[in-house]
Amino acid sequence: SAHEVLRGFAISGMYAMNSMNTTDPPLRVFVAGLAHETNSFSPLPTSLRNFEDTICYRPRLGTGRDDALGFPGYGDAIRAAQKRGDVVVEGPCFWTQPSGPASIAVYHALQDEVLDALREAMPVHMVILNLHGAMMAQGVDDCEGELLTRVREIVGPDVPVGAILDLHGNVSPQMIDSGAIMVGCKEYPHIDYAARVDELYAILVSMAKGGPRLATSRRRIPLLSLQGTTEEPMAGLVRALVAAEGRNGIRSLTLMHGFPWSDWSEAGASLLVVADDARASRVEAVVTALADRFVEIATNASVQRPGVREAVDAALASAARPVVIADSSDNPGGGAACDSTFLLRELLDRNVENAALGMLWDPQCARIAADAGVGARLQMRLGGK
């Protein structure tokens, strides 16, 4: 079998693909995922149930595979391997909605599942991990860095390891030191995961078949700024990133916007460069120009955010209907609890009647109300927990 043939070419952890007689033999590829966008300010720990309720693919049990294959990054990597005719070893895939740090027990349990599956899959020619870049656990600020380091210990120094990232991630020195090739999506909203996985896959295949040994380097950008890419000037910067790839020894460029709700020393924007020599002057010049351009865009794109009273004043004064007030500080899409009652209090105090508030997350109140039944009247503390 292809599996047995590839095992025969494992020599001290190195893989002599060039000695095979076929022109383009299949590679043995391990794919796994452990991703979470962590809001470290949230007091609510992320549990195993959170993962089990969203994406929790365990190949040994055969549960959750369809969800995992539909998940951007993991499913894209498997499809990229199948397109090339490579042998895919499907590892576990875990993901849940943004929320607070995972408990240390849950994080280590999920990490161990990924690492155990990789050990069983050895030998492999390359590893692709679907990560995020902003995962934290209680007591571990850099989950991605820890996982990538452990993966490198298993596969050794010569096996290409790749990670696909969300651009709302924070990249650490430990992640860089793992030797992983890191590629992140360029667009926000994230519409280009499949294209970025194809890009990462091509880089890893080239390395696995004896091509140039590329490395990822990081240029820190000292700011936090969440910028959409569908409009100018950010759309132009994304085009500039793409245009710079394939020139001056640069294979890939990722602008990581950073994740501001990760309270640790490495939080912030950065520019990731995959190149044969990131220290070359020609590469440094490109990176500096792109980083400076992002700083200019971010500092000139400050948004005025009114307080609760001012926002309601503006809504009531507006002739247009309906008016939407977006509370960005309690955004569940960024891992907040979504149970603040400041806007509700303001609307009640001012007797605003023709308004809808959506949403308040309070499972305790929901359970009590459901148990009480339709038509029951009761007093409860709503939200603010």
Side-chain angles (χ1 to χ4, degrees):
S1 67
H3 176 76
E4 292 168 336
V5 170
L6 295 177
R7 282 187 180 273
F9 284 89
I11 304 172
S12 301
M14 300 180 65
Y15 304 90
M17 291 302 302
N18 291 336
S19 64
M20 298 186 76
N21 295 323
T22 53
T23 57
D24 194 16
L27 301 177
R28 182 172 168 83
V29 183
F30 178 79
V31 180
L34 177 54
H36 183 235
E37 188 175 66
T38 304
N39 186 325
S40 63
F41 296 96
S42 172
L44 303 172
T46 297
S47 68
L48 181 60
R49 181 182 300 171
N50 292 115
F51 289 96
E52 292 175 341
D53 287 346
T54 43
I55 293 178
C56 185
Y57 174 38
R58 291 182 164 109
R60 288 179 178 177
L61 302 178
T63 56
R65 185 175 188 270
D66 291 343
D67 290 337
L69 291 181
F71 183 49
Y74 183 88
D76 294 325
I78 291 176
R79 284 185 285 274
Q82 292 172 339
K83 188 186 307 180
R84 223 192 73 87
D86 290 330
V87 178
V88 182
V89 180
E90 295 182 10
C93 181
F94 305 107
W95 176 82
T96 190
Q97 295 284 351
S99 48
S103 70
I104 191 65
V106 167
Y107 165 62
H108 280 154
L110 298 182
Q111 182 195 67
D112 287 346
E113 288 195 47
V114 172
L115 297 175
D116 288 344
L118 175 59
R119 291 187 187 96
E120 291 182 7
M122 292 295 290
V124 296
H125 294 93
M126 52 193 249
V127 174
I128 296 184
L129 298 175
N130 183 36
L131 307 179
H132 183 282
M135 183 173 185
M136 304 176 73
Q138 295 174 343
V140 180
D141 289 340
D142 186 10
C143 291
E144 284 88 356
E146 181 177 292
L147 177 59
L148 288 170
T149 299
R150 298 283 300 280
V151 167
R152 179 57 68 193
E153 291 171 353
I154 293 172
V155 302
D158 301 305
V159 174
V161 175
I164 187 73
L165 303 175
D166 186 314
L167 62 79
H168 293 129
N170 306 305
V171 178
S172 69
Q174 187 177 9
M175 293 168 67
I176 297 295
D177 291 344
S178 73
I181 302 298
M182 287 178 281
V183 172
C185 55
K186 290 181 170 65
E187 302 284 357
Y188 178 45
H190 309 319
I191 58 174
D192 61 329
Y193 258 105
R196 301 288 74 79
V197 171
D198 286 345
E199 172 187 325
L200 174 62
Y201 200 90
I203 292 172
L204 297 177
V205 167
S206 175
M207 293 174 63
K209 296 177 66 177
R213 300 298 298 181
L214 304 179
T216 306
S217 63
R218 175 189 71 153
R219 168 70 67 87
R220 293 200 70 180
I221 303 175
L223 55 80
L224 286 163
S225 180
L226 305 180
Q227 299 288 328
T229 61
T230 59
E231 298 178 352
E232 299 295 347
M234 274 301 300
L237 180 52
V238 171
R239 290 194 298 271
L241 290 170
V242 175
E245 294 173 330
R247 304 166 59 186
N248 298 309
I250 298 173
R251 284 293 302 271
S252 174
L253 286 165
T254 300
L255 177 60
M256 302 290 289
H257 296 205
F259 190 63
W261 296 286
S262 295
D263 188 18
W264 71 306
S265 59
E266 298 299 331
S270 61
L271 197 61
L272 298 183
V273 186
V274 178
D276 52 5
D277 184 4
R279 294 173 295 181
S281 59
R282 64 186 186 281
V283 176
E284 287 282 351
V286 173
V287 171
T288 298
L290 291 170
D292 290 347
R293 188 169 169 181
F294 180 62
V295 171
E296 181 181 0
I297 291 172
T299 54
N300 291 328
S302 59
V303 178
Q304 298 300 318
R305 302 188 187 275
V308 171
R309 178 173 293 276
E310 294 80 11
V312 174
D313 284 341
L316 294 175
S318 174
R321 291 290 186 271
V323 178
V324 176
I325 298 176
D327 181 4
S328 61
S329 64
D330 198 21
N331 171 22
C338 193
D339 74 339
S340 67
T341 56
F342 306 108
L343 274 167
L344 175 59
R345 180 81 270 160
E346 186 70 17
L347 296 173
L348 293 174
D349 288 347
R350 295 169 69 160
N351 296 315
V352 177
E353 295 182 349
N354 189 19
L357 187 77
M359 55 192 173
L360 277 175
W361 182 77
D362 194 325
Q364 292 172 310
C365 281
R367 172 65 62 86
I368 293 170
D371 289 347
V374 176
R377 299 181 64 86
L378 61 160
Q379 290 185 343
M380 291 187 290
R381 176 186 171 188
L382 174 65
K385 294 182 173 61

